[in-house]
Amino acid sequence: MDFTDHLASEEVVLDYIRAQQNKDQLRFLTCGSVDDGKSTLIGRLLYDTKLIFEDQLAALERDSRRHGTVGEDIDLALLVDGLEAEREQGITIDVAYRFFATDKRKFIVADTPGHEQYTRNMATGASTADLAVLLVDARHGLMTQTRRHAFIASLLGIRHIVLAVNKIDLVDFSQERFDEIERDFAALGGNFRFETVVSIPISARFGDNVTSRSGRMPWYQGPTLLEHLETVDVGEKETAAEFRFPVQWVNRPNLDFRGYSGTLASGLVTVGSNVTVAASGKSSTVTRIVNGFSDVDSARAGEAVTLVLRDEIDISRGDVLSRSDERPAVADSLSAHVIWMADAALLPGRSYLLKIGTRTVTATLTALAHKINVNTFEEAPAETLALNEIALAEFSLSAPIAIDAYAANRTTGSFILIDRMSNATVGAGMVVKAERRASNIHWQALDVDKEARAESLRQKPAVLWFTGLSGSGKSTIASIVEKKLHLEGRHTYVLDGDNIRHGLNKDLGFSDADRVENIRRVAEVSRLFVDAGLIVLVSFISPFRAERQMARDLLGEGEFVEIFVDTPIDECRKRDPKGLYAKADAGEIANFTGIDSPYEAPETPELRVATVGRDPEAAAEDVLNHLRRAGIIAANGYVFGGEGI
Amino acid sequence: MSDRLSNLRRLEAESIHIIREVAAEFRNPVMLYSIGKDSSVMLHLAMKAFYPSKPPFPLMHVDTGWKFREMISFRDETVKRLGLDLIIHTNPEGLAQGINPFDHGSSVHTHIMKTEALKQALTKYGFDAAFGGARRDEEKSRAKERVFSFRTASHTWDPKNQRPELWNLYNARVAKGESIRAFPLSNWTELDIWQYILAENIPMVPLYYAAPRPVVERDGMLIMVDDDRMKIRPGETVEEKTVRFRTLGCYPLTGAIESDAATLPAILREMLIARTSERSGRLIDHDDAASMEKKKREGYF
């Protein structure tokens, strides 16, 4: 339809707009290495679909003269290279989203960089894409990067691939070259699960076969890139899949209305459907479906609605509704492919927040099965996972949750990992399966519990967690505190870093991963001792906040007392009771805390104890005073009666 | 293919999901309401997201004191009609110093009365999340912005250190003082917005529709004389022209276009044949290509 004709009536416009309202949306991703012409291709699509306005074109001409790399021509890549820094470096640095539309479809393009951060950024762009355009430079053919891109696209569940053989003008529009590249791609291997792979010879710079058919490649009979993007059937597997509804928000304006708001992850729901809460197994029937301001009869995958149920059953944010006969697995352990996205490595034993659907739980990495090399697809054993690495990993969770495999459901089978200290998003996961191991070991309910044991010992159990640098005085102070508690008739036990490393933890070294495991075991032992009714004094350097937080989380409210023995490193070095600083300074000990391994001081410990210029007895008295104030031991120094517990 | 949700329904559902996610995860969210068409669509989506409840957060308008009068009356009517809470904030220091776009220029005025005012208000009320109606298709630096965009305790944005955002899983974790700007319209284009306004019959400020208005030609733009604070310079004449606005802001900084599109279909027709982007009507974007990125780093929406 040509709207340059001003005579088009309002009715004609309205008809056109109404027709447009039914067009669908295709989200795709472009990937290629630095010089494959990715930004030029997107610029070309925007330019040819007339989404570049006159003022933007004028700005583009200005920018081309300043930053351009194609001489006097307009550099289409500058249309999409957004941020200042990357313009100067001539590369894109992050994920950007571009939009264009034809009469048939609206397109959302994720533009991701081709340099070293590619895995993280490409995975981000791929996570919401229906299709991926893999760019290959016709002169260079398939590169290591092409293998990576295909692998990541497949891992993220993209089912449709376009192999765009770009810069075909620079190989004289050669059919032989194009056929060769197409054959090489088919021979890549890698067990990809693509449903369609379409190869198209293009020149993004000159526009051949991008939006209009090239007159320079009569041998090519297939669609142009745009024709293919407009017509490729990416289906809607989600609607055909089992019904899943992660509850986002409980809608309760008054006593007469109680609804559960959320987006259908998959499947279909109708009024009268029987639904079950995955975790509790409680069931009810859908009596109303509210979509926007209206009641509707049904809703399908992707729609954001509010469901009203016949019965008042306990449902809150994070619950997943399904059909009674098609329920997701519920487990507190899962295996998943994980893409690591942070500079600090993923460590076994460390706990992270895991957000899946609308549910957030604590997840601890229990095992790394293997790493996957994204270039060769080879699997290799792994201790830790570094930035941009991918592995098959197992996590144990703080609570049982509803889980689907990613291959079956892209929404209820995907999760992100969040660092508990920095709050950064540090990883992305695709569930392989719920692990059954944990679900077969049920908690043994015991008649004699922590309260009963504590009462018979006539005390309030707690963990006094002493943290600080080597030589700060932790063990000295802990030892004095224990003696004093013992004199008052308390039942105590000291867990000392050095001593534990001679026994329980003698298999552990001083790498970051081993330090995390060291603390995890001690935290678990402390919990058992608290359960036994004891006052536990833990004297460990415990350099990382995350692990001290994990120990805190294992215990009940008020049971964990973090005591920061705050002695500056120069003072510790001066004291050097075991001669360790001298050795570390001489390079004889690696990974020594405070020297070549970090110490993360507590930000808000229950107690901070200064030692410089003070008697250890005085420091110990600080601790006892705190315990009295906190009500862990009686203020008058006498043993509690049972009522104090 | 008929089984797939249409573009508009998919956008609508995605936005509602984002709005609900913010309401569920944050302690104290607020919706920035700037009265324009994007804000109107965002507000409409919020009304849908929680229906039959009201949105569980207030609206906030950062008023520079230089908005079109029709914007202010439309704002007050809208809030009353929907029964919502509205917070109005104006930078008191800027007001006391008499900061205005005529004497201090667009960049000083925008910085003090908009960027600084917004930061003041967010700090004053302790909001940990603020919805904005920005779209990624508006401008290059916006194209890289996340849906949940992290801000430091001093409200700054670091484009090189954004949180990866995958699937529809948004990371809502912030430490005390830090906040998130949430952009539910990230994936909408200007055409999507107008189509949705048409489909849903969403009320708009009349300034979007053509009418005879008093204007002055200044710096290549048609500026409407909205009140007597606008001083007419030598050589300028106030003319009555049939104009409308494609974007709304402070009247001295917002250029009108000559148009006789007085109805929604007429506006849509005009848009389909348009050859300039909507932000070209805003003085503040003209400074230089990277100006928006700089403003955003400092805390502009």
Side-chain angles (χ1 to χ4, degrees):
Chain A
M1 173 125 348
D2 186 7
F3 282 96
T4 52
D5 178 4
H6 281 258
L7 297 176
S9 72
E10 289 192 1
E11 266 319 301
V12 175
V13 174
L14 280 177
D15 287 346
Y16 176 76
I17 294 292
R18 285 194 194 102
Q20 296 272 300
Q21 281 171 355
N22 296 321
K23 73 184 170 189
D24 75 355
Q25 191 189 85
L26 182 80
R27 299 192 182 203
F28 71 94
L29 163 81
T30 54
C31 23
S33 36
V34 177
D35 292 319
D36 287 344
K38 212 165 16 81
S39 294
T40 307
L41 176 65
I42 298 172
R44 166 64 62 190
L45 285 166
L46 299 182
Y47 186 80
D48 284 2
T49 53
K50 301 195 171 35
L51 279 207
I52 310 302
F53 295 113
E54 278 164 10
D55 55 319
Q56 291 171 328
L57 204 58
L60 180 62
E61 279 164 11
R62 258 197 330 269
D63 285 355
S64 293
R65 282 195 292 278
R66 207 191 310 174
H67 304 286
T69 56
V70 293
E72 288 301 302
D73 291 348
I74 292 176
D75 188 348
L76 291 171
L78 292 178
L79 277 174
V80 293
D81 289 347
L83 303 183
E84 246 176 313
E86 66 195 73
R87 270 201 222 179
E88 277 150 23
Q89 295 164 18
I91 48 166
T92 42
I93 55 167
D94 203 291
V95 188
Y97 295 89
R98 300 287 157 196
F99 307 85
F100 66 96
T102 65
D103 286 352
K104 295 199 178 79
R105 270 183 175 159
K106 171 180 165 177
F107 299 94
I108 301 180
V109 193
D111 180 14
T112 61
H115 70 316
E116 77 271 12
Q117 288 296 329
Y118 73 92
T119 299
R120 168 179 138 154
N121 295 332
M122 184 183 155
T124 302
S127 70
T128 51
D130 306 307
L131 175 148
V133 176
L134 305 188
L135 269 145
V136 179
D137 186 324
R139 295 169 302 173
H140 306 135
L142 296 198
M143 311 273 284
T144 307
Q145 288 91 326
T146 318
R147 297 171 68 93
R148 281 178 199 167
H149 298 151
F151 177 77
I152 296 166
S154 172
L155 185 69
L156 270 291
I158 291 180
R159 301 191 301 265
H160 304 277
I161 296 290
V162 174
L163 186 70
V165 180
N166 192 24
K167 307 195 185 181
I168 196 80
D169 51 304
L170 297 182
V171 295
D172 298 325
F173 306 97
S174 160
Q175 179 176 9
E176 288 71 33
R177 184 66 186 137
F178 174 76
D179 289 346
E180 188 184 351
I181 290 170
E182 193 173 24
R183 274 197 306 276
D184 287 350
F185 188 80
L188 263 189
N191 293 322
F192 301 135
R193 291 190 201 143
F194 303 133
E195 284 173 22
T196 66
V197 177
V198 172
S199 310
I200 304 175
I202 63 166
S203 166
R205 188 173 164 197
F206 298 105
D208 298 74
N209 289 336
V210 178
T211 58
S212 55
R213 184 155 299 280
S214 171
R216 302 192 280 187
M217 286 169 274
W219 50 267
Y220 177 74
Q221 301 299 320
T224 64
L225 177 61
L226 188 63
E227 279 166 8
H228 180 63
L229 294 175
E230 276 186 317
T231 53
V232 60
D233 181 3
V234 294
E236 191 70 272
K237 281 200 163 172
E238 286 73 21
T239 300
E242 295 179 4
F243 168 64
R244 296 285 185 272
F245 186 78
V247 174
Q248 216 181 354
W249 194 72
V250 178
N251 192 337
R252 197 156 198 203
N254 53 54
L255 291 175
D256 300 331
F257 187 94
R258 185 188 181 89
Y260 304 98
S261 301
T263 304
L264 274 84
S266 54
L268 197 74
V269 67
T270 54
V271 171
S273 290
N274 189 276
V275 295
T276 296
V277 184
S280 69
K282 298 243 165 55
S283 294
S284 186
T285 307
V286 176
T287 53
R288 280 178 72 184
I289 301 172
V290 181
N291 189 345
F293 307 124
S294 327
D295 277 28
V296 293
D297 296 331
S298 67
R300 60 199 162 109
E303 291 190 293
V305 297
T306 297
L307 304 181
V308 179
L309 306 183
R310 173 163 301 146
D311 311 282
E312 239 186 61
I313 52 177
D314 188 22
I315 300 175
S316 49
R317 174 174 164 86
D319 277 323
V320 175
L321 305 184
S322 68
R323 276 178 47 164
S324 311
D325 54 348
E326 291 180 338
R327 289 158 66 172
V330 175
D332 62 0
S333 175
L334 60 83
S335 58
H337 285 114
V338 170
I339 300 174
W340 196 245
M341 301 184 155
D343 289 324
L346 170 68
L347 300 175
R350 178 164 283 188
S351 67
Y352 301 88
L353 296 175
L354 181 150
K355 183 171 182 183
I356 182 165
T358 55
R359 185 76 194 268
T360 302
V361 293
T362 301
T364 304
L365 178 65
T366 47
L368 279 175
H370 55 254
K371 272 197 242 197
I372 303 167
N373 182 316
V374 292
N375 300 325
T376 61
F377 318 140
E378 280 167 6
E379 296 172 359
E383 295 288 316
T384 65
L385 203 60
L387 178 64
N388 287 315
E389 289 190 324
I390 297 172
L392 180 62
E394 247 182 75
F395 292 90
S396 73
L397 312 175
S398 57
I401 57 168
I403 304 168
D404 285 301
Y406 187 71
N409 199 312
R410 253 175 127 180
T411 306
T412 51
S414 56
F415 60 84
I416 55 170
L417 293 167
I418 300 169
D419 185 273
R420 310 183 62 174
M421 296 296 146
S422 69
N423 289 326
T425 303
V426 289
M430 287 138 290
V431 174
V432 173
K433 61 184 198 311
E435 292 295 335
R436 295 289 170 193
R437 199 178 41 194
S439 58
N440 291 333
I441 306 169
H442 295 288
W443 281 101
Q444 188 66 45
L446 300 170
D447 293 334
V448 179
D449 62 6
K450 178 162 74 182
E451 282 66 33
R453 291 187 206 99
E455 195 168 342
S456 79
L457 293 177
R458 299 163 66 78
Q459 68 179 26
K460 191 168 171 176
V463 173
L464 313 183
W465 190 282
F466 293 82
T467 174
L469 293 168
S470 176
S472 59
K474 297 181 299 295
S475 296
T476 308
I477 297 167
S479 170
I480 297 170
V481 171
E482 186 183 33
K483 263 185 236 157
K484 295 195 176 213
L485 289 171
H486 188 72
L487 281 174
E488 288 185 12
R490 316 279 173 211
H491 301 268
T492 58
Y493 196 83
V494 171
L495 295 170
D496 180 82
D498 290 345
N499 296 351
I500 298 286
R501 278 188 178 275
H502 281 114
L504 178 64
N505 289 357
K506 71 178 167 191
D507 56 326
L508 300 176
F510 290 89
S511 67
D512 281 359
D514 281 1
R515 282 175 186 274
V516 170
E517 176 61 12
N518 185 36
I519 300 304
R520 189 191 69 80
R521 291 185 197 173
V522 170
E524 289 286 358
V525 170
S526 314
R527 175 163 75 160
L528 294 175
F529 282 9
V530 164
D531 204 46
L534 300 182
I535 296 174
V536 191
L537 296 89
V538 177
S539 169
F540 271 68
I541 296 171
S542 47
F544 304 132
R545 281 186 204 117
E547 278 63 58
R548 297 194 299 264
Q549 181 66 40
M550 174 192 69
R552 181 184 292 273
D553 291 347
L554 286 175
L555 293 153
E557 185 76 29
E559 287 179 347
F560 185 85
V561 181
E562 187 175 31
I563 299 163
F564 177 29
V565 182
D566 189 4
T567 310
I569 188 156
D570 291 343
E571 175 70 16
C572 296
R573 186 181 264 123
K574 207 161 69 193
R575 291 178 190 165
D576 204 7
K578 296 169 195 154
L580 296 174
Y581 282 92
K583 283 188 185 169
D585 286 339
E588 290 166 29
I589 308 178
N591 297 326
F592 194 80
T593 301
I595 294 180
D596 56 354
S597 185
Y599 178 77
E600 300 169 2
E603 284 169 344
T604 51
E606 272 74 9
L607 182 66
R608 180 185 298 268
V609 179
T611 68
V612 178
R614 295 182 78 203
D615 187 345
E617 290 279 342
E621 203 51 49
D622 286 358
V623 176
L624 291 163
N625 282 334
H626 175 82
L627 297 181
R628 291 186 189 106
R629 280 198 305 275
I632 291 170
I633 58 175
N636 57 15
Y638 292 102
V639 174
F640 266 114
E643 75 283 358
I645 295 160
Chain B
M1 259 200 303
S2 58
D3 213 23
R4 287 165 67 82
L5 289 182
S6 73
N7 174 50
L8 278 187
R9 292 303 144 207
R10 205 166 157 183
L11 290 171
E12 178 188 61
E14 181 184 55
S15 301
I16 288 176
H17 178 82
I18 293 163
I19 292 169
R20 286 173 175 167
E21 203 60 11
V22 170
E25 291 244 19
F26 289 89
R27 188 178 41 80
N28 189 18
V30 67
M31 180 167 276
L32 272 294
Y33 176 62
S34 70
I35 315 167
K37 64 182 191 307
D38 300 311
S39 270
S40 297
V41 167
M42 179 165 68
L43 179 56
H44 184 80
L45 290 165
M47 296 301 292
K48 278 195 170 189
F50 302 102
Y51 179 83
S53 295
K54 294 267 198 267
F57 41 76
L59 305 184
M60 183 164 77
H61 179 223
V62 175
D63 192 349
T64 61
W66 291 89
K67 300 297 172 190
F68 290 91
R69 285 175 300 163
E70 277 187 283
M71 288 173 73
I72 300 301
S73 53
F74 180 85
R75 175 194 75 190
D76 295 342
E77 282 161 23
T78 301
V79 169
K80 199 173 152 201
R81 174 169 54 86
L82 301 177
L84 300 174
D85 293 329
L86 173 74
I87 296 167
I88 300 167
H89 181 81
T90 304
N91 181 346
E93 288 99 53
L95 200 61
Q97 290 166 30
I99 299 295
N100 71 75
F102 296 122
D103 299 328
H104 302 94
S106 75
S107 84
V108 168
H109 170 76
T110 303
H111 181 73
I112 294 177
M113 300 309 285
K114 223 168 152 177
T115 310
E116 287 303 315
L118 173 64
K119 291 198 274 186
Q120 276 173 358
L122 294 175
T123 304
K124 178 179 171 186
Y125 295 100
F127 294 123
D128 54 358
F131 289 102
R135 309 187 319 265
R136 285 171 174 155
D137 80 322
E138 278 178 76
E139 195 273 337
K140 265 190 264 192
S141 74
R142 295 232 191 259
K144 311 216 158 185
E145 179 119 50
R146 303 297 189 256
V147 172
F148 273 35
S149 186
F150 177 77
R151 294 296 191 277
T152 62
S154 52
H155 303 293
T156 54
W157 179 61
D158 179 0
K160 282 192 179 167
N161 194 21
Q162 301 194 76
R163 293 173 175 176
E165 201 159 74
L166 295 100
W167 299 290
N168 63 351
L169 294 172
Y170 304 104
N171 178 352
R173 307 276 303 185
V174 291
K176 198 164 163 41
E178 296 169 347
S179 62
I180 292 287
R181 304 270 172 97
F183 300 108
L185 304 182
S186 287
N187 288 325
W188 295 60
T189 62
E190 189 184 8
L191 184 61
D192 295 327
I193 292 285
W194 281 114
Q195 286 190 359
Y196 190 70
I197 289 168
L198 180 73
E200 300 279 313
N201 200 16
I202 301 171
M204 287 290 116
V205 182
L207 292 161
Y208 285 110
Y209 302 104
R213 296 183 171 99
V215 291
V216 160
E217 193 175 334
R218 182 176 288 181
D219 304 328
M221 300 204 314
L222 290 175
I223 304 296
M224 178 172 158
V225 185
D226 195 46
D227 58 38
D228 56 12
R229 290 180 297 174
M230 180 157 170
K231 300 286 174 269
I232 308 305
R233 295 173 188 165
E236 287 179 343
T237 49
V238 181
E239 293 175 84
E240 184 155 284
K241 287 190 170 162
T242 301
V243 295
R244 67 179 199 88
F245 295 86
R246 289 182 63 187
T247 175
L248 295 178
C250 296
Y251 82 80
L253 301 175
T254 308
I257 54 167
E258 288 197 69
S259 162
D260 47 16
T263 62
L264 205 45
I267 288 172
L268 278 160
R269 181 176 59 184
E270 200 175 84
M271 237 203 76
L272 289 165
I273 58 175
R275 297 307 308 146
T276 56
S277 67
E278 61 182 322
R279 294 192 82 87
S280 68
R282 293 193 193 181
L283 263 177
I284 56 168
D285 288 350
H286 284 238
D287 308 347
D288 89 80
S291 63
M292 181 61 87
E293 185 184 339
K294 281 189 193 122
K295 284 195 197 76
K296 278 164 55 60
R297 282 193 204 166
E298 290 163 4
Y300 183 79
F301 238 90

